[in-house]
Amino acid sequence: MLTALLSCLLTFGAPPDTVFVRIPVGDYQVGRKGHHLNPLRKVHVNSYYIGATEVTNRLFAAFITATGYVTDAERRHNAMVFEPGLEEFRWLEDSTACWKYPNGISRGGITDKMDHPVTCISYADIQVYCKWAGVRLPSFEEWEIASRAGASTTYFWGEDTSQLSTYANVWHGHDHLRADSTDGYMYTSPVASFKPNAFGLYDVYGNVFEFCEGHLKDEKAVHARGGSWWCSQHSCSYFNSVEIGRVNAHASFSNQGFRVVKKIN
Amino acid sequence: MKLFSVLLSVTLLPVLAFAQEEGPWPEPSPESQAYHDYRMKLTTPPYGLEKVKTMISKAVSVGEEEGEGEAIRPKDYLTLSLREKFTYHMIHTEAYSQNCDATPPIIDEHKKIFARLPDIFGEGNWSIRQRDFLVSNRDSVLAIIEESANRSKRLGANYKMAIVEVNGLEMIPFLIEFYKRDYKDHDILTTLLLLMNGVKYPPFVQSTSYAKLYGPNSNYGAWLQYNKANEDLIFQRAMALFNSMN
């Protein structure tokens, strides 16, 4: 019913990247039995609104226009990009890559991808965006509660990985030596291209890793969740509600983005 | 936020019933944990070490984050000798790495021969410039690795990564001889496997080991049971590859 309501709203013109979903105050189960970093536990959270989609290029462009902000990748010229043919977990530095050219100028810009999630931005960049927009990143727990949509399983639909292609833009090839567009997209897809979870959140798995607030053991690293278009079953199969990734706070990858939480006054 | 927002209220009730909370992942044995620590050790080259460390500290100081992703200043880099550059690349990473998650502790790690070398650089990784240095100077790099390993009696994870990076097939006899000094570092066997995989050596590609480690149904953390039969088979295949080159 909620999904139907959301579809109705989208049909009547509300851009999907401006839709927020209210998560009610309460006690929720997060984590997985026996998981070292994310053990099964209950947590209490206050009510919050979380984006139905990842933040898009359109929204980030509005921020840049308003502030003139220059991202880490634009200043440091050290964004990490992907092209087919790379070994597993291998990325290319591309001095031309930034949010406007997520995989470098030679691989195209975002002119026709304004409804895709913004990428090639760092955790540090996101902090500036959030301050401007009056939003914040979700905590680990807030992200997980929203992604689970009431489920206690690895995925919000259960444990069956064959349903991934219904809900998530991920990599279906065995490796990354050859391009894979099995699900229609090699890189990012427009937000809300795949089916949402029961809370009406799109792309909680795949598309882009979503940064969260908080630290685990390593206080230098920052963390992102949900996997990305790059992630496959064979390498980094962590497009789920359990795992927590890590990266340098100033690193800019073309599979990293974010979803925000709106403050409740 | 100056944008139209539609706020939806989720009406699902919070979870009120909870499964029993569980403890952490199973703890590996002390022997397994000790071997894990051994695997993760780097070899620090001695060549111009203090000079290089000073340059790295300067590079880090101009960055906003300590650690990875900072290259030393170009003018500093140009003053380094080849051996000093080798030291720099072995102890510092200029690019970033992305980690999906902390991997669970591996049980009986000392009894496994892995398909891949461990992730030793955390959120850092060698940059294209660093990889280019290794490849462009491969003969010197391999000679320095052999010299340094013999001196320190250790072939650190960074040295093994460098050997794989430059496709150092000529190191096969040295790797086997070095391994046989104490039969302890099974990642040397992994290095041999990676070298064979790198050139898709047909007798290896046709083997059941290959299917398990690198085949279509394998995953990144695949491994073989460590035993003498597997050890001997790896030696035999790697030497056959080496001999076929000459």
Side-chain angles (χ1 to χ4, degrees):
Chain A
M1 180 176 171
L2 182 69
T3 303
L5 172 61
L6 191 62
S7 298
C8 183
L9 283 167
L10 299 182
T11 303
F12 284 99
D17 58 0
T18 59
V19 174
F20 280 75
V21 173
R22 182 175 182 272
I23 309 296
V25 61
D27 295 327
Y28 294 86
Q29 176 179 301
V30 296
R32 175 191 280 166
K33 178 180 175 182
H35 196 286
H36 188 55
L37 296 178
N38 192 14
L40 188 68
R41 64 197 185 280
K42 62 180 177 182
V43 296
H44 179 85
V45 296
N46 292 321
S47 182
Y48 59 99
Y49 291 102
I50 189 165
T53 74
E54 293 150 343
V55 172
T56 58
N57 286 317
R58 185 181 72 83
L59 294 175
F60 199 79
F63 156 64
I64 296 294
T65 300
T67 64
Y69 178 74
V70 180
T71 62
D72 263 332
E74 290 169 300
R75 284 187 294 112
R76 298 156 68 113
H77 303 288
N78 62 353
M80 307 297 288
V81 309
F82 172 80
E83 66 178 10
L86 291 169
E87 297 285 340
E88 298 300 80
F89 295 105
R90 186 69 66 86
W91 291 75
L92 290 175
E93 307 142 74
D94 190 323
S95 63
T96 70
C98 65
W99 70 277
K100 290 180 285 189
Y101 298 96
N103 284 283
I105 287 176
S106 66
R107 298 175 191 88
I110 58 167
T111 306
D112 59 348
K113 296 181 178 176
M114 298 309 283
D115 55 350
H116 286 229
V118 62
T119 62
C120 261
I121 36 87
S122 69
Y123 172 86
D125 297 326
I126 292 168
Q127 298 303 309
V128 183
Y129 173 90
C130 285
K131 187 175 180 182
W132 172 80
V135 295
R136 62 175 174 81
L137 289 175
S139 67
F140 293 139
E141 289 82 7
E142 287 170 337
W143 185 92
E144 184 167 331
I145 290 164
S147 78
R148 288 185 174 282
S152 59
T153 43
T154 304
Y155 308 97
F156 58 74
W157 61 81
E159 301 292 346
D160 179 13
T161 56
S162 69
Q163 293 194 52
L164 265 170
S165 56
T166 302
Y167 296 103
N169 171 19
V170 299
W171 193 269
H172 294 277
H174 175 262
D175 53 40
H176 292 74
L177 298 176
R178 284 167 294 279
D180 172 70
S181 301
T182 307
D183 56 13
Y185 306 96
M186 186 174 79
Y187 293 119
T188 55
S189 55
V191 298
S193 294
F194 294 78
K195 286 187 176 178
N197 69 9
F199 280 6
L201 269 65
Y202 293 87
D203 306 309
V204 291
Y205 310 140
N207 220 12
V208 292
F209 266 112
E210 298 177 10
F211 280 104
C212 293
E213 286 297 352
H215 292 285
L216 297 171
K217 291 178 180 175
D218 182 354
E219 292 302 305
K220 278 169 57 182
V222 294
H223 300 279
R225 304 193 65 172
S228 74
W229 55 261
W230 185 94
C231 302
S232 75
Q233 294 274 24
H234 304 277
S235 305
C236 179
S237 59
Y238 294 149
F239 24 62
N240 59 48
S241 290
V242 180
E243 313 295 348
I244 303 173
R246 60 196 158 92
V247 72
N248 184 290
H250 291 282
S252 305
F253 282 79
S254 64
N255 69 336
Q256 287 179 184
F258 65 113
R259 179 189 306 266
V260 296
V261 165
K262 182 185 278 286
K263 296 169 184 172
I264 296 180
N265 296 320
Chain B
M1 192 172 181
K2 304 172 183 66
L3 292 165
F4 172 69
S5 296
V6 177
L7 305 179
L8 295 176
S9 180
V10 173
T11 55
L12 294 180
L13 291 173
V15 177
L16 297 176
F18 302 99
Q20 183 180 357
E21 294 189 21
E22 295 293 329
W25 282 323
E27 282 293 319
S29 68
E31 190 178 9
S32 180
Q33 183 58 50
Y35 181 68
H36 174 78
D37 296 341
Y38 173 82
R39 287 184 79 204
M40 300 302 286
K41 284 183 179 169
L42 309 186
T43 301
T44 303
Y47 319 109
L49 182 59
E50 289 310 312
K51 178 181 174 183
V52 169
K53 280 184 172 176
T54 301
M55 288 181 178
I56 292 172
S57 68
K58 284 183 192 171
V60 168
S61 68
V62 299
E64 295 158 276
E65 190 78 10
E66 185 179 349
E68 309 86 10
E70 293 289 348
I72 60 173
R73 298 167 186 175
K75 67 176 184 180
D76 284 346
Y77 186 77
L78 290 173
T79 69
L80 296 176
S81 68
L82 187 143
R83 282 174 178 265
E84 289 167 342
K85 286 175 181 168
F86 174 80
T87 296
Y88 169 66
H89 298 310
M90 288 301 108
I91 67 172
H92 186 70
T93 54
E94 294 181 345
Y96 295 118
S97 174
Q98 196 174 53
N99 297 279
C100 304
D101 196 11
T103 50
I106 302 168
I107 305 301
D108 289 337
E109 194 163 346
H110 57 302
K111 296 178 182 175
K112 291 173 179 169
I113 304 168
F114 293 93
R116 292 177 176 82
L117 295 169
D119 170 23
I120 54 167
F121 289 137
E123 284 74 61
N125 211 338
W126 280 327
S127 65
I128 293 171
R129 172 172 82 157
Q130 293 183 294
R131 295 178 196 279
D132 284 348
F133 168 86
L134 298 174
V135 172
S136 301
N137 299 281
R138 68 187 305 283
D139 290 349
S140 300
V141 164
L142 294 177
I144 294 170
I145 287 175
E146 190 168 335
E147 174 191 302
S148 177
N150 278 327
R151 180 191 293 118
S152 63
K153 299 179 172 46
R154 180 86 178 91
L155 194 66
N158 48 346
Y159 281 15
K160 288 180 285 240
M161 281 178 62
I163 292 169
V164 174
E165 185 68 32
V166 304
N167 197 25
L169 295 167
E170 59 267 55
M171 294 288 275
I172 287 173
F174 171 75
L175 289 169
I176 294 173
E177 183 273 324
F178 198 88
Y179 176 79
K180 287 182 175 178
R181 293 181 192 182
D182 60 9
Y183 289 85
K184 188 176 174 183
D185 185 357
H186 305 328
D187 278 340
I188 293 178
L189 302 176
T190 298
T191 305
L192 294 169
L193 292 167
L194 286 167
L195 290 173
M196 289 192 282
N197 183 45
V199 295
K200 297 297 176 195
Y201 179 50
F204 178 55
V205 170
Q206 292 157 13
S207 69
T208 53
S209 299
Y210 176 88
K212 184 169 183 182
L213 298 173
Y214 308 108
N217 297 317
S218 66
N219 64 49
Y220 200 78
W223 50 273
L224 297 175
Q225 187 68 39
Y226 170 70
N227 56 45
K228 186 151 191 327
N230 279 334
E231 187 180 77
D232 287 344
L233 197 55
I234 294 168
F235 292 158
Q236 179 192 329
R237 285 198 178 116
M239 278 309 297
L241 167 60
F242 176 77
N243 290 330
S244 72
M245 296 160 41
N246 299 309

